Amino acid sequence: MPPTRIPRSLPSLRPRRPARRGALIATTGALALAGAGVGAWTFLAPAPGLQGLSDGAVLDGRKAAQVGAYLAAEEASARDQLHATLDGRAVPVKAEGARLRLALPHLTEGRHTLVVAGESSLPFASYRKVVGFSVDATAPELKVADPEVKNSSGPVTITGHASTDSEVTVNGKKIPVDKAGAFKITVPKGTPVVKVSAVDRAGNTTTKDVSARGRRPMIRAAHITAIGWGDDTLRTNILALVRSGKLNALELDVKDEDGEVGYASQVPLARQIGAAKGYYDARKAIAEIHAAGAQVIGRIVAFRDPKLASASWKAGKSDQLVLTPGGTPYEGGHYGALSFTNFANPTVRKYNQDLAVEAARLGFDDILYDYVRRPDGPLSHMRFPGIGTATPEQSITSFVADTRTALRPHGKYLGVSVFGIAATRPTEIAQDIGALVKVTDYIAPMVYPSHWGPGEYGVAQPDTAPYAIVQRSLADFARQAKGTQTEIVPWLQDFSMGSTYGPAEVAQQIKAAADNKMNSFILWNAGARYQGAALQQIAAH
């Protein structure tokens, strides 16, 4: 017979206490129904901390997978008097011990209607309950703009958009969101990273970490090796350039081309392979450089790593090296048989990222990757175990992006050193500038005039035309960084190779960078002997 309701005019038909047969009980993540009387069905709210299903509920994917509904019954025959449907389709009712279970199917995303109906033990009476609920397993949309930071010592404004049904928090604090989902909040000065989260009604969460430091402020730096820092003369001379106001940063090697870590690293793999050398005390060196008035850029030579390559090969872990098609270490003619580690290998990637995070914790202000590339040479002569369907360029970019994510809680800038040719030939050594500018704070192109071939950029002899070759090559990098907050910080040549380079040649390169609106630079001299006469004092801001 069709379901009916008990008329209010027949109070004598109402039992004095709930019928046992009509009591649906709640479990964690389960439907909770209880019969308050014949023909009157009520949902019981779940106990605090339990996730239950109720009329109007919105479930995320995990809750939807766990939801269940049970009917308490003294006799299994009670299931013959119960009928349940989900979205119009019958739901089986199965005996489970002293209760009956509604065998709900897999709940797909969207709206659902559960109907529970049955015959009452009273004459001409029945009951029916309709429960509407939704499943939403899709994380909310969250877009956060990189903040424009004009004054690094002032407060920073964070803006963005989230799905309109979301609650937005910034560093754990709930903030107002308008009807369109837009939000805006100002965080105090000195906040290195801002964690923005959006949580929708179902509990799905999207989180983004945003650097509140903005663009990397102007860098005028010079390179020094770990061993060089221990030389009193070299250290004194380079610090003198800082104290005279001509440099505001020093680049100090964390891991060099030999795979040696300059300080006593505590990264397990560095210690295991004998890479942690302890040439300098990191905290002491950083404190001394800071006291002189400069910041410290920690250079990590990433994938050219003879220490790791040799240890990996000896341990039978050939997948940690770049290999030839025949399975031997790729030599490439320049670097030696055990030189290039495999950027696609998880252990190799984690090793370099662990060093980056350690350096950040020690107090380095920036992390600057070098040799973050594949070896040069024909791609057909090398293979990268584990790279899968990714291109070398994509694998390199994802490695850098992962490092940036790891560094953000520490509020450090991340740069990558790239070949000058990478701006126009991204596949040559797997450095896609258009992709890298999206995952770094700055790109450091090595545009040394001595490293360009005759005729590049229409310059007959680049080594003898430092202004022309640097100005023209950097213009390509400026074009690729346009529309981003990523700075271009060129490596400039302060050494002689082919032609003699004095203060005039160094100054011409600095002017070429400035003419591309690049006021930052890093000088390279392998012996850390720099020509101060080429440098002007940095204007006070």
Side-chain angles (χ1 to χ4, degrees):
M1 63 182 263
T4 59
R5 292 284 185 184
I6 299 176
R8 292 184 180 274
S9 60
L10 299 175
S12 60
L13 293 180
R14 297 171 186 257
R16 295 183 178 180
R17 57 186 178 186
R20 180 68 178 271
R21 181 177 300 158
L24 277 172
I25 61 176
T27 63
T28 301
L31 175 66
L33 285 169
V38 176
W41 286 76
T42 306
F43 275 85
L44 298 177
L50 297 180
Q51 295 178 334
L53 179 65
S54 59
D55 193 37
V58 181
L59 309 178
D60 63 13
R62 182 181 60 83
K63 294 174 186 174
Q66 295 176 350
V67 72
Y70 297 88
L71 176 70
E74 293 179 350
E75 301 177 5
S77 60
R79 64 178 166 176
D80 297 329
Q81 300 178 9
L82 176 70
H83 306 282
T85 62
L86 180 69
D87 302 330
R89 296 187 177 183
V91 175
V93 181
K94 301 180 179 181
E96 191 175 276
R99 60 184 182 176
L100 301 174
R101 178 170 63 88
L102 305 183
L104 298 176
H106 171 72
L107 297 174
T108 57
E109 190 151 351
R111 291 189 58 80
H112 298 279
T113 303
L114 176 66
V115 179
V116 181
E119 301 297 331
S120 170
S121 61
L122 297 175
F124 312 110
S126 63
Y127 50 79
R128 186 172 187 272
K129 179 62 184 181
V130 179
V131 181
F133 65 95
S134 299
V135 174
D136 177 6
T138 303
E141 179 181 342
L142 176 63
K143 296 181 179 178
V144 186
D146 285 331
E148 288 285 349
V149 182
K150 296 181 179 179
N151 179 6
S152 59
S153 63
V156 178
T157 299
I158 306 294
T159 60
H161 282 80
S163 299
T164 54
D165 65 339
S166 299
E167 177 181 286
V168 177
T169 61
V170 173
N171 287 345
K173 180 181 178 181
K174 183 180 177 181
I175 63 170
V177 179
D178 69 17
K179 293 181 179 179
F183 59 86
K184 180 178 181 180
I185 186 172
T186 299
V187 298
K189 66 179 181 179
T191 305
V193 64
V194 178
K195 184 180 289 295
V196 184
S197 296
V199 183
D200 64 19
R201 289 180 59 200
N204 300 301
T205 303
T206 301
T207 298
K208 294 184 180 295
D209 287 339
V210 182
S211 171
R213 301 183 73 182
R215 288 180 176 271
R216 179 60 171 96
M218 183 184 69
I219 304 171
R220 293 193 174 178
H223 158 77
I224 188 167
T225 65
I227 293 176
W229 182 256
D231 183 288
D232 290 342
T233 300
L234 295 179
R235 184 176 67 255
T236 299
N237 288 344
I238 202 168
L239 286 175
L241 293 174
V242 172
R243 294 189 175 101
S244 67
K246 293 187 173 183
L247 297 176
N248 66 1
L250 295 183
E251 181 269 283
L252 178 60
D253 280 353
V254 170
K255 176 159 73 82
D256 64 17
E257 293 88 341
D258 294 324
E260 294 185 342
V261 180
Y263 56 83
S265 173
Q266 298 303 302
V267 171
L269 187 53
R271 301 184 71 81
Q272 178 185 328
I273 65 177
K277 294 300 181 181
Y279 295 130
Y280 63 88
D281 181 314
R283 293 190 186 278
K284 183 178 178 181
I286 292 167
E288 186 173 0
I289 295 169
H290 284 168
Q295 293 189 316
V296 193
I297 303 166
R299 174 175 173 256
I300 297 177
V301 176
F303 302 124
R304 180 182 172 184
D305 192 333
K307 275 286 184 185
L308 180 58
S310 179
S312 299
W313 184 255
K314 290 177 182 177
K317 300 175 181 178
S318 61
D319 57 334
Q320 293 180 187
L321 280 73
V322 175
L323 301 175
T324 67
T328 59
Y330 179 81
E331 190 265 335
H334 315 314
Y335 308 105
L338 293 167
S339 292
F340 262 89
T341 54
N342 176 18
F343 52 80
N345 180 269
T347 299
V348 174
R349 292 163 74 103
K350 185 177 185 300
Y351 176 48
N352 286 285
Q353 289 165 1
D354 285 349
L355 287 172
V357 170
E358 180 182 62
R361 288 173 173 162
L362 286 169
F364 284 89
D365 300 289
D366 295 31
I367 301 301
L368 176 59
Y369 276 138
D370 206 344
Y371 285 86
V372 59
R373 62 178 179 87
R374 72 170 177 87
D376 43 316
L379 196 56
S380 60
H381 292 185
M382 62 189 81
R383 63 184 183 89
F384 317 100
I387 196 171
T389 58
T391 65
E393 297 78 47
Q394 291 169 338
S395 185
I396 291 290
T397 300
S398 70
F399 163 76
V400 175
D402 289 346
T403 303
R404 192 186 201 192
T405 299
L407 286 176
R408 271 193 162 164
H410 305 284
K412 308 298 182 178
Y413 292 109
L414 175 64
V416 292
S417 299
V418 299
F419 273 17
I421 61 172
T424 55
R425 285 161 270 181
T427 63
E428 194 89 0
I429 52 167
Q431 291 179 332
D432 183 344
I433 304 306
L436 289 171
V437 294
K438 298 175 182 177
V439 296
T440 56
D441 295 302
Y442 58 96
I443 302 291
M446 296 174 283
V447 289
Y448 312 132
S450 62
H451 284 41
W452 292 100
E456 290 276 7
Y457 284 100
V459 181
Q461 295 296 330
D463 190 41
T464 62
Y467 175 87
I469 191 63
V470 170
Q471 191 277 328
R472 295 177 193 183
S473 60
L474 287 181
D476 272 333
F477 284 93
R479 175 177 52 80
Q480 298 223 37
K482 187 176 181 180
T484 74
Q485 289 209 85
T486 302
E487 294 287 346
I488 304 298
V489 181
W491 282 100
L492 302 180
Q493 177 174 336
D494 193 353
F495 59 89
S496 298
M497 191 173 117
S499 299
T500 300
Y501 268 50
E505 287 74 19
V506 175
Q508 286 179 48
Q509 295 173 77
I510 294 172
K511 184 178 186 304
D515 286 349
N516 276 297
K517 298 182 180 180
M518 301 171 189
N519 292 316
S520 295
F521 58 79
I522 308 173
L523 298 178
W524 177 270
N525 180 291
R529 294 175 176 85
Y530 296 97
Q531 303 180 81
L535 306 175
Q536 296 181 353
Q537 284 196 326
I538 299 170
H541 293 281

